[in-house]
Amino acid sequence: MSTKEQTETAAHHAMAVVGGFMGVYALMTRHETFGSSETSNLIYLTLAGLNGSFFSFAIRLGATLCYILGIVFATLIPKYLKKWDFRYLSIGIDAVACLVLGVIPKGVDPVLALYPMFFATSIQWLAYTQAAGYNSATIFSTNNLRQCFAGLTEYLHSQEKTYFQKFLFYGGTLVCFHVGVIYCWFCMELWGIKSIYACLLPLTSALIATIRDTQKK
């Protein structure tokens, strides 16, 4: 792996810590609502429509629109800010989302309370979508788990080093994601909803790693 690939990987893994933190924060504070993915939200959106629950349908539709808006934003803005590294803007939006999430009262509808996270994490997904030639999300784990053990299986079968590198990359992403989970769990034990402010620390680490990567270009 080249030096540039190493710095890309470091920045990617640093943001995976952020993804793990935000994921478990949403699950623990907002009635097991996962604010970094739309799969469950779209299922509940459909069920709300079938059940005739207008309020629930409207709230979940709003969450979906926040997620879509983030994707559209992350797709279009880099086309107009070609001289800027969009990853910096993603880190900034994550930081603002953390500040907003920390002041939303516990009694607010859990899906509505996570609107800032739906928007911010969808942007993070596109900003940190690949590194060192690998496509990988920093906000959820399913594909990373598949790629990790597919790479390990291929390596054990063929002994080709490229597959071992794939295993290490995706395995590292999984480990970093769950470092964020563990870190958030301890913070939640101490500070509850306000623990989201502790996510600013891994965001700062990700910013430093991204700056180092940018300097290698």
Side-chain angles (χ1 to χ4, degrees), residues 142-202:
T142 305
N143 186 59
N144 292 325
L145 184 68
R146 179 181 71 86
Q147 295 284 10
C148 176
F149 286 96
L152 179 60
T153 302
E154 292 283 4
Y155 172 71
L156 293 175
H157 174 71
S158 66
Q159 297 297 304
E160 291 187 25
K161 291 184 178 180
T162 53
Y163 289 119
F164 189 66
Q165 290 294 330
K166 177 181 179 180
F167 164 69
L168 290 178
F169 176 86
Y170 286 103
T173 305
L174 286 170
V175 169
C176 289
F177 186 91
H178 289 89
V179 166
V181 170
I182 294 168
Y183 172 51
C184 182
W185 184 85
F186 281 107
C187 293
M188 285 289 303
E189 290 293 302
L190 293 172
W191 303 304
I193 284 180
K194 299 295 183 182
S195 64
I196 190 63
Y197 297 143
C199 190
L200 295 175
L201 179 59

Side-chain angles (χ1 to χ4, degrees), residues 49-67:
L50 292 173
N51 293 331
S53 177
F54 175 77
F55 180 76
S56 179
F57 182 86
I59 292 294
R60 291 190 177 278
L61 179 60
T64 302
L65 292 176
C66 284
Y67 209 81

Side-chain angles (χ1 to χ4, degrees), residues 16-37 101 114 117 121 138-141 176-189 192-193 195-196 198-199 202:
V17 177
V18 175
F21 189 106
M22 286 192 167
V24 75
Y25 174 84
L27 290 171
M28 292 179 67
T29 63
R30 302 299 176 181
H31 301 285
E32 299 184 358
T33 303
F34 192 51
S36 303
S37 173
L101 287 165
L114 291 175
M117 186 177 291
T121 54
T138 60
I139 60 171
F140 45 75
S141 295
C176 289
F177 186 91
H178 289 89
V179 166
V181 170
I182 294 168
Y183 172 51
C184 182
W185 184 85
F186 281 107
C187 293
M188 285 289 303
E189 290 293 302
I193 284 180
S195 64
I196 190 63
C199 190

Side-chain angles (χ1 to χ4, degrees), residues 15 86-96 128 203 206-207 210:
M15 282 303 282
F86 184 69
R87 293 178 297 177
Y88 294 131
L89 185 56
S90 173
I91 292 173
I93 291 172
D94 273 355
V96 172
Y128 288 86
L203 274 171
L207 175 61
T210 302

